[in-house]
Amino acid sequence: MRPMRDGNGPRVLVLDGFWNKTVAVVRSFGRRGFFVGVGERTRFAPAMFSRHCSRRFLHPSPIESPERFLSALEAELQAGGDGPRVPSEES
C-alpha cells in the first residue's frame, strides 16, 4: 500500500482498524507525531478514515486464512520499516 501522508516521525502499525478503540489509538499516536499505519481486512474500517492514518494496510482474514494473513503482515512490516505493532483484539 502507498503512504497517504508524509511522516518523518516514528512508525507504528495498528491492527484491527474496525473498532472505535482503534480510532482512539490511531489519534493518540498521530497527535504525538507518529507515522501511523492501520491494518484491517476491509477498506471500510473507521480507523482508516482518521486524518492521523498515514498508511492503509488491507490484509486477508486472520481467522479464515492465517497463513495468508501472516505472509501479508510480514510483507507490510518489511515495507513499512521498524516500529511497534499494536493489535486491538486477539487476532
Side-chain angles (χ1 to χ4, degrees):
M1 300 290 144
R2 65 179 173 76
M4 295 166 29
R5 293 183 341 152
D6 292 333
N8 295 326
R11 293 177 172 265
V12 63
L13 176 61
V14 182
L15 300 176
D16 302 307
F18 193 76
W19 303 102
N20 289 335
K21 60 187 169 183
T22 308
V23 176
V25 171
V26 170
R27 288 177 181 163
S28 181
F29 278 118
R31 287 181 187 139
R32 286 164 177 78
F34 280 75
F35 181 96
V36 183
V38 176
E40 183 53 80
R41 58 192 178 111
T42 174
R43 69 183 55 168
F44 301 110
M48 290 185 172
F49 292 95
S50 170
R51 67 176 162 192
H52 298 290
C53 175
S54 303
R55 183 177 174 91
R56 294 178 179 146
F57 165 52
L58 294 174
H59 59 73
S61 167
I63 304 299
E64 296 172 10
S65 305
E67 296 85 14
R68 289 181 50 222
F69 168 74
L70 290 175
S71 295
L73 180 59
E74 182 179 15
E76 177 64 16
L77 293 175
Q78 290 176 353
D82 292 331
R85 279 57 109 186
V86 182
S88 296
E89 289 290 313
E90 295 178 13
S91 59

